[in-house]
């Protein structure tokens, strides 16, 4: 390959071959670069799943449900002929299976479906992709999105099995998603060589996107956890080991994203041939997200579940209060059978009385459009009105309802 590329460069007119082969010029002519990279990938040479599997197990452990997760992986290592433990994938030396334990990794996109087009389509919730039966992120303006992408990389590209994702394509989709109100905030962790080049000078700071990369532009990424006994391969990458380990040992409800970033920066290194070698993690975009939001806002549902439980308890309490108030009102009414009023199923005929009670309840007690649970109580007004003997009885019932609600109900409180 070295020989072929050198021959190709020496055949080009009007360029300095030495600079082309050995120089380190800054990339500005992206149109030319994209065309050459795509041609090289398609016509010349087609350029870590265990990390992805481990990441999936971690977010599931923290309570993120499967319906909120989209996983893309080539899926060729679990049962590869060179895997000494078929069906098992480990991410650490002597580690446990991350392919099926404790949750089987979904196969939303596998094999030839793992493309930059499908990645970006799934991210932005592409309707045509969804029509094909593929899972996409159906997000809105109140949603937070976490993206973790890992593969090989070079200047402003991340490699997919048979194609490349260009920085301009990625950032264009993030900008469009922001314009289309597809998220409130989006956090992107990217693990690849030269990962910083995907965002540096390209990701705006005002579109509610915060990105963390394993490496800075022009920097090589490092593998970690070499296992040369049974598996005879590298098992993981340092960046991913660091942020996943931090997620497993930290209280994510208290740890800010900025704190995790500092942890990654400090530990994103290894000792090679007796010398400490660093990958320099970088951050881009809206840094205020990292300073204000916790890791749990993206990787942990515990806080959200707790909030829902609290909301449900309050809802049930308010419904119980309404039940009590209406029962007290019915028991105060003269000349009716309270049991029939509360539990009967009488046919509605006395519509004048019924309309007065419903309007009074809606205006003086609980606004029905904001308290739909109260709709279940309107049958009680039917049962009351059908026991009335004359219009004066209905007027008494209306006045008693106004008095009762003035004492007890809060018209603006929502019961649902």
């Amino acid at each position: 390959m070295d020989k072929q590329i050198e021959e190709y460069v020496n055949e080009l007119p009007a360029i300095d071959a030495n600079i082309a082969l050995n120089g380190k010029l800054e990339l500005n002519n992206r149109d030319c670069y994209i065309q050459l990279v795509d041609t090289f990938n398609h016509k010349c040479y087609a350029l870590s799943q265990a990390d992805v599997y481990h990441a999936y197990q971690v977010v599931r452990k923290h309570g993120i449900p499967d319906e909120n997760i989209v996983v893309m992986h080539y899926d060729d290592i679990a049962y590869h002929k060179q895997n000494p433990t078929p069906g098992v994938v480990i991410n650490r030396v002597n580690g446990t299976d991350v392919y099926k334990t404790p949750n089987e990794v979904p196969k939303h996109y596998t094999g030839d479906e793992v493309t930059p087009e499908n990645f970006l389509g799934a991210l932005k919730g592409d309707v045509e992709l969804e029509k094909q039966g593929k899972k996409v992120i159906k997000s809105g303006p109140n949603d937070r999105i976490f993206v973790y992408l890992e593969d090989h990389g070079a200047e402003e590209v991340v490699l997919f099995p048979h194609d490349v994702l260009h920085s301009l394509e990625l950032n264009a989709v993030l900008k469009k998603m922001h314009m289309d109100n597809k998220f409130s905030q989006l956090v992107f962790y990217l693990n690849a060589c030269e990962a910083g080049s995907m965002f540096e000078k390209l990701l705006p700071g005002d579109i509610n996107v915060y990105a963390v990369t394993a490496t800075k532009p022009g920097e090589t990424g490092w593998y970690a956890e070499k296992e040369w006994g049974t598996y005879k391969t590298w098992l993981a990458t340092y960046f991913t080991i660091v942020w996943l380990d931090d997620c497993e040992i930290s209280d994510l409800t208290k740890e800010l994203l900025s704190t995790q970033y500092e942890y990654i920066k400090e530990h994103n290194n290894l000792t090679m041939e007796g010398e400490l070698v660093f990958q320099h993690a970088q951050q881009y975009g809206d840094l205020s997200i990292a300073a204000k939001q916790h890791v749990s806002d993206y990787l942990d549902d515990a806080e959200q579940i707790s909030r829902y439980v609290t909301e449900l308890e309050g809802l049930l309490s308010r419904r119980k209060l309404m039940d009590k108030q209406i029962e007290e009102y019915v028991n105060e009414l003269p000349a009716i059978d309270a049991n029939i009023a509360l539990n009967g199923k009488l046919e509605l005929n006395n519509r004048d009385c019924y309309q007065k009670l419903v309007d009074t309840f809606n205006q003086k007690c609980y606004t029905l459009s904001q308290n739909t649970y109260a709709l279940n109580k309107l049958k009680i007004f039917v049962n009351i009105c059908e026991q009335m003997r004359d219009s004066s009885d209905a007027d008494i019932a209306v006045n008693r309802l106004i008095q009762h609600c003035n004492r007890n109900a809060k018209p603006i409180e929502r019961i649902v």
Side-chain angles (χ1 to χ4, degrees), residues 19-33:
I19 293 177
L21 293 168
N22 304 303
K24 295 183 179 180
L25 304 183
E26 181 180 352
L27 176 60
N28 291 295
N29 191 347
R30 291 186 172 85
D31 288 340
C32 170
Y33 179 67

Side-chain angles (χ1 to χ4, degrees), residues 1-10 21:
M1 183 187 287
D2 291 341
K3 179 175 180 290
Q4 292 171 347
I5 291 178
E6 185 173 348
E7 289 174 350
Y8 158 70
V9 169
N10 285 319
L21 293 168

Side-chain angles (χ1 to χ4, degrees), residues 173-396:
V173 167
L174 295 176
K175 293 173 188 176
K176 184 67 165 56
M177 289 177 68
H178 171 68
M179 289 179 59
D180 293 342
N181 292 315
K182 290 288 188 177
F183 54 77
S184 58
Q185 293 90 23
L186 185 149
V187 171
F188 201 121
Y189 278 20
L190 176 57
N191 185 17
C193 291
E194 304 191 45
S197 67
M198 293 295 288
F199 298 112
E200 187 169 79
K201 300 179 182 179
L202 297 170
L203 179 64
D206 59 355
I207 62 170
N208 299 332
V209 175
Y210 170 66
V212 176
T213 65
T215 53
K216 64 183 181 180
E219 183 176 56
T220 300
W222 298 101
Y223 288 99
E225 293 288 320
K226 183 177 181 180
E227 206 285 346
W228 223 245
T230 302
Y231 288 87
K232 297 179 174 60
T233 189
W234 297 93
L235 301 177
T237 55
Y238 268 89
F239 174 80
T240 303
I241 280 181
V242 170
W243 77 263
L244 289 179
D245 279 358
D246 181 61
C247 287
E248 294 192 280
I249 64 175
S250 301
D251 183 346
L252 303 188
T253 63
K254 298 179 180 178
E255 182 176 37
L256 292 170
L257 285 165
S258 59
T259 305
Q260 183 166 87
Y261 171 68
E262 293 299 327
Y263 181 88
I264 292 170
K265 279 181 59 179
E266 181 181 352
H267 295 85
N268 195 28
N269 56 70
L270 74 159
T271 301
M272 182 178 290
E273 298 179 354
E275 181 179 353
L276 190 63
V277 178
F278 284 88
Q279 294 178 155
H280 296 86
Q282 305 291 302
Q283 57 180 346
Y284 302 95
D286 186 350
L287 304 188
S288 69
I289 293 175
K292 297 176 182 177
Q293 295 187 347
H294 296 87
V295 181
S296 62
D297 292 329
Y298 297 87
L299 300 180
D300 188 348
D301 255 10
E303 183 178 2
Q304 184 178 15
I305 291 171
S306 176
R307 184 172 70 250
Y308 288 155
V309 170
T310 301
E311 290 177 357
L312 178 60
E313 290 174 346
L315 174 68
L316 295 177
S317 175
R318 294 192 297 275
R319 287 184 174 184
K320 186 176 180 180
L321 176 62
M322 180 186 284
D323 293 341
K324 178 174 180 290
Q325 290 171 348
I326 290 179
E327 184 174 349
E328 290 175 348
Y329 160 69
V330 169
N331 285 320
E332 291 174 0
L333 290 176
I336 68 163
D337 186 316
N339 182 56
I340 293 177
L342 292 169
N343 304 302
K345 296 181 179 180
L346 303 182
E347 181 181 348
L348 175 60
N349 292 291
N350 191 348
R351 290 183 172 84
D352 288 340
C353 169
Y354 177 68
Q355 183 173 331
K356 289 179 181 179
L357 284 177
V358 170
D359 289 347
T360 299
F361 185 80
N362 181 60
Q363 296 164 9
K364 302 296 184 180
C365 304
Y366 295 96
T367 305
L368 292 173
S369 63
Q370 297 296 312
N371 299 280
T372 53
Y373 175 71
L375 294 173
N376 300 315
K377 304 300 179 182
L378 299 189
K379 185 63 179 178
I380 294 175
F381 297 145
V382 174
N383 295 333
I384 290 173
C385 289
E386 292 308 314
Q387 296 185 69
M388 297 298 179
R389 295 293 177 263
D390 53 53
S391 60
S392 62
D393 291 338
D395 291 337
I396 292 173

